[in-house]
Amino acid sequence: MMSVDNIKKSACSSNSGNLVYWSSSFPRQPARVLIVEALPPWWSETCAVLCDALDNFLSLACCLDGPCRIPLLSLYAISRQQECLLPFVQVRANLARLRSCVEELRSIPGEGCIRGAARGGELLRQAVLDSLQQFKQYIRHTCTGNQASNNAFVEVTVVTSQPGRGIVHQLEMGLKDADLVSLKRLLVVQIYSAADWSQDSPSPVATQAETEDSLLLGTEVDLQRVENSVFAMETVLKAWLQEQGGDREHLHLLLPSPLDSLIPGGVCVKCDMQERLISPALIPLNPNLGVKTESVWDFLPVAKGSTNQSQLPQRLKAIKTLRADGVCESVLYGLPLVIRPTTCWQLDWDEMETNHNLFHALCHTLRSRDLFLLLQVEPAQRSTAGGSGVVSHYVLQPSPSLSLLLKPVVSRELLLPCSLPISTQDPAPDAMQTMQACLTQLDEEFVYNPLCLSSNLYQHLRSRGLVSQPRYPYRLQPSVARRNQSQPVEGPKSTGSRQPRQPQNQGRQLGANSKVRATVAPFPSSSSHSSSSLGPPPAKASRPALTLLSSSGGGRRRQAAALTLQEEGNDDVFMAIQAGPLINQP
């Protein structure tokens, strides 16, 4: 997860419309254009599904902290005419405007007649070209230099209920001679029902012919079919939140070189990384989502009182049992907590023994049946505003010992799309031999022992701590500033005198009641005071006071020391001290 400081640094303001921010963590995120084909009679069946999915997605995307995942968004609607419902705007912290646009899309009637498929294809072509032109104008007026050249990419998504392959062919032919330099990808999403799937399945001959036409046109138009459901459309939209770079690999996996190989430096496997879920730490609006498991006190519910007696225990309600082999590790996040039977002294012996037996039976039953428990947080008090509130879910895993393991599990709202089909083909023989030879060079352990690994954390913390500490602590001795007594600054006649050192407790009391700022620059070693500037001062020696020397004519040497006292009211005193080397005054 990202730290809070990095999250705040990468956050951008939605009110600054004169500049578009692309975070360094997501440097190649394209702007997004959504073109919705709201033509009757299909629109009456897909309107509620698409608008609900848009409403859910934008509610999540607008409040996400961290890197900017969707820099710009624009929305078009194709009904009886082309209409731009939303010009390019920033998504973050702009929920009110985006929701009003969704409601406007929902108000488009789903009944009536259209002029034909050719008219709809022409409107789609015009909407794509108009969005590209608006994007160029927006970038030209808001970004300059490298920003305009590095981030001038837009991805267009067309949502339709018509047969998808016909829409793809119309767009390919209509955009044949258009300027598509800023277009990174054109995606056609077909919302289908069970009856429409068999009707639009193409023949292999037609598929090969259309693929060749697409290669000749140089226009990449992808087709994705999804069912008519809110979750399916949310999955399409949440793909926008994932990193869309592709310009460089994310990870190099280094393996030892085989014995009979001449590969220098070993074998390197280059990989890309993909987020599986949205971290709850990126949603700062509600602290109840994803209860922290970094410590026990973070996990406990927040109590109104400040004493330990007011701290109530967290209540987790079991809602389902899960097969252990049916829980994917990618949907678990956070740090685990070990659950044991309580030894609270406030329980009597009979109740503690009964509770211990129930815990033991639960561990044994779950482990013998190879089951997990799915838990849901029970709110301490119901919301009085009528809302249901946000709840978290956890998975409870058994272990051979008398303990359980509690892990947070992701819910539907935070899940990101991840298509990982199972490979049905065997690896290439030469690659298989190379990889087997690499793995045989590694030591094999039957049990992972964390005591055998060291991260050099102790050495790092010691080095950081020693570097950050000064050579010896300076203590400010403001002998000229007191709370109830103010003295004028004396002239050059007091240069040879020494002021008595104040007691330590008196100096602390003065520092607590005054606002004091001190800046002291060391003297160079070549000066006459170099012997006193090297090393720590004596333990009991009093320090000479810094005074002001009046500068007269040229040729005189003066000490660059300034002492400024400014009284603020009757109580507060501000003091600044600066010291420098002796210089010749011209």
Side-chain angles (χ1 to χ4, degrees):
M1 292 185 182
M2 296 181 58
S3 63
V4 177
D5 295 337
N6 295 334
I7 290 175
K8 298 303 179 184
K9 290 179 182 179
S10 59
C12 62
S13 175
S14 62
N15 298 326
S16 59
N18 58 346
L19 187 61
V20 181
Y21 293 90
W22 274 264
S23 172
S24 59
S25 300
F26 291 82
R28 307 292 289 182
Q29 291 294 98
R32 300 287 177 175
V33 176
L34 181 63
I35 302 177
V36 179
E37 193 180 55
L39 297 176
W42 304 284
W43 180 240
S44 60
E45 301 177 359
T46 60
C47 173
V49 171
L50 178 59
C51 292
D52 290 346
L54 268 175
D55 203 358
N56 296 340
F57 169 73
L58 294 176
S59 300
L60 175 66
C62 289
C63 71
L64 281 183
D65 242 331
C68 183
R69 298 169 183 263
I70 307 178
L72 296 171
L73 176 63
S74 179
L75 179 60
Y76 285 78
I78 305 297
S79 55
R80 293 175 177 83
Q81 59 183 1
Q82 168 198 331
E83 185 178 2
C84 180
L85 301 181
L86 181 71
F88 282 103
V89 296
Q90 298 184 20
V91 175
R92 176 171 289 167
N94 206 6
L95 181 59
R97 185 176 182 183
L98 295 176
R99 287 204 64 188
S100 63
C101 177
V102 174
E103 294 303 321
E104 188 175 357
L105 178 64
R106 196 189 298 266
S107 64
I108 296 178
E111 300 177 355
C113 59
I114 58 175
R115 300 180 182 180
R119 175 62 177 170
E122 179 63 23
L123 292 177
L124 282 177
R125 173 185 172 275
Q126 293 178 5
V128 173
L129 295 179
D130 184 70
S131 64
L132 296 179
Q133 183 64 27
Q134 286 198 20
F135 179 72
K136 292 179 182 178
Q137 295 177 0
Y138 188 96
I139 294 299
R140 188 182 301 114
H141 288 85
T142 57
C143 295
T144 57
N146 295 332
Q147 280 186 333
S149 60
N150 294 338
N151 303 309
F153 294 101
V154 62
E155 183 170 322
V156 179
T157 302
V158 177
V159 180
T160 180
S161 297
Q162 299 188 52
R165 303 200 66 84
I167 298 298
V168 169
H169 185 70
Q170 291 178 10
L171 289 175
E172 288 177 348
M173 298 304 297
L175 302 175
K176 180 178 180 180
D177 300 327
D179 182 13
L180 306 177
V181 177
S182 60
L183 180 61
K184 184 176 183 179
R185 186 190 182 198
L186 179 57
L187 174 64
V188 176
V189 178
Q190 177 193 352
I191 303 178
Y192 71 92
S193 59
D196 298 335
W197 179 260
S198 59
Q199 296 178 3
D200 195 39
S201 57
S203 62
V205 178
T207 302
Q208 181 179 2
E210 292 183 6
T211 303
E212 293 177 356
D213 292 340
S214 177
L215 293 176
L216 292 176
L217 293 175
T219 305
E220 182 180 358
V221 183
D222 297 332
L223 175 62
Q224 181 178 358
R225 295 185 178 93
V226 297
E227 61 180 351
N228 188 18
S229 66
V230 176
F231 174 74
M233 283 307 306
E234 283 183 13
T235 303
V236 174
L237 298 174
K238 284 182 179 179
W240 297 356
L241 301 177
Q242 294 177 326
E243 203 272 336
Q244 303 290 333
D247 299 329
R248 188 175 180 85
E249 63 273 10
H250 297 155
L251 175 67
H252 286 183
L253 186 59
L254 304 180
L255 299 175
S257 178
L259 294 178
D260 56 349
S261 176
L262 300 178
I263 302 177
V267 177
C268 176
V269 181
K270 301 178 180 180
C271 312
D272 284 340
M273 296 186 295
Q274 179 181 349
E275 291 177 297
R276 188 65 181 95
L277 53 93
I278 293 292
S279 172
L282 299 180
I283 305 177
L285 300 182
N286 197 310
N288 296 330
L289 181 61
V291 177
K292 296 180 180 180
T293 56
E294 283 79 5
S295 67
V296 176
W297 294 110
D298 290 336
F299 180 78
L300 296 179
V302 180
K304 294 183 179 180
S306 59
T307 61
N308 293 333
Q309 297 178 357
S310 63
Q311 194 78 19
L312 300 177
Q314 185 69 268
R315 295 173 59 88
L316 301 179
K317 180 181 179 181
I319 57 177
K320 286 183 181 179
T321 58
L322 305 173
R323 298 293 302 179
D325 55 358
V327 178
C328 183
E329 287 289 335
S330 63
V331 299
L332 303 176
Y333 65 94
L335 300 180
L337 286 177
V338 178
I339 308 298
R340 300 178 302 177
T342 183
T343 56
C344 179
W345 62 269
Q346 296 186 12
L347 301 180
D348 54 31
W349 288 107
D350 295 338
E351 185 178 0
M352 185 177 297
E353 184 179 3
T354 303
N355 181 78
H356 186 277
N357 293 335
L358 290 175
F359 189 92
H360 190 189
L362 175 62
C363 295
H364 180 77
T365 304
L366 291 178
R367 188 165 180 267
S368 61
R369 297 185 180 182
D370 202 15
L371 294 176
F372 291 169
L373 270 185
L374 180 61
L375 307 177
Q376 177 179 301
V377 175
E378 280 285 293
Q381 55 184 359
R382 298 293 179 180
S383 177
T384 58
S388 58
V390 179
V391 296
S392 302
H393 296 85
Y394 298 87
V395 167
L396 199 61
Q397 303 179 3
S399 65
S401 60
L402 190 61
S403 62
L404 300 170
L405 199 62
L406 186 70
K407 294 182 180 180
V409 64
V410 70
S411 57
R412 164 186 169 177
E413 293 84 356
L414 301 180
L415 196 64
L416 290 177
C418 183
S419 178
L420 301 175
I422 300 177
S423 178
T424 58
Q425 299 180 355
D426 295 333
D430 53 347
M432 181 65 100
Q433 294 178 0
T434 301
M435 193 55 57
Q436 291 177 352
C438 291
L439 297 180
T440 54
Q441 303 301 316
L442 299 175
D443 296 334
E444 182 179 354
E445 297 288 345
F446 292 97
V447 178
Y448 167 69
N449 186 4
L451 301 180
C452 299
L453 298 180
S454 175
S455 60
N456 295 327
L457 178 62
Y458 296 152
Q459 294 84 343
H460 174 74
L461 295 178
R462 280 195 294 267
S463 61
R464 288 290 301 273
L466 294 177
V467 170
S468 61
Q469 292 180 357
R471 293 175 55 188
Y472 56 89
Y474 282 97
R475 293 180 179 177
L476 184 63
Q477 302 294 337
S479 60
V480 296
R482 295 186 179 182
R483 179 179 178 85
N484 299 323
Q485 181 180 3
S486 62
Q487 299 179 357
V489 181
E490 297 183 357
K493 62 182 180 179
S494 62
T495 55
S497 62
R498 293 180 181 269
Q499 297 181 356
R501 190 174 183 179
Q502 291 186 355
Q504 186 175 358
N505 56 356
Q506 182 178 359
R508 291 181 178 178
Q509 181 179 3
L510 179 61
N513 298 329
S514 305
K515 297 180 180 179
V516 181
R517 181 184 302 171
T519 304
V520 181
F523 289 94
S525 59
S526 61
S527 64
S528 60
H529 302 281
S530 61
S531 60
S532 61
S533 63
L534 295 177
K540 296 184 179 180
S542 60
R543 203 176 292 173
L546 296 176
T547 58
L548 289 173
L549 298 179
S550 60
S551 60
S552 57
R556 294 189 61 183
R557 302 171 62 88
R558 74 183 177 93
Q559 182 180 3
L563 179 69
T564 304
L565 295 177
Q566 180 180 358
E567 297 185 359
E568 298 179 357
N570 297 326
D571 298 332
D572 298 335
V573 178
F574 173 81
M575 181 175 69
I577 304 175
Q578 291 182 343
L582 298 177
I583 57 175
N584 291 329
Q585 181 71 21

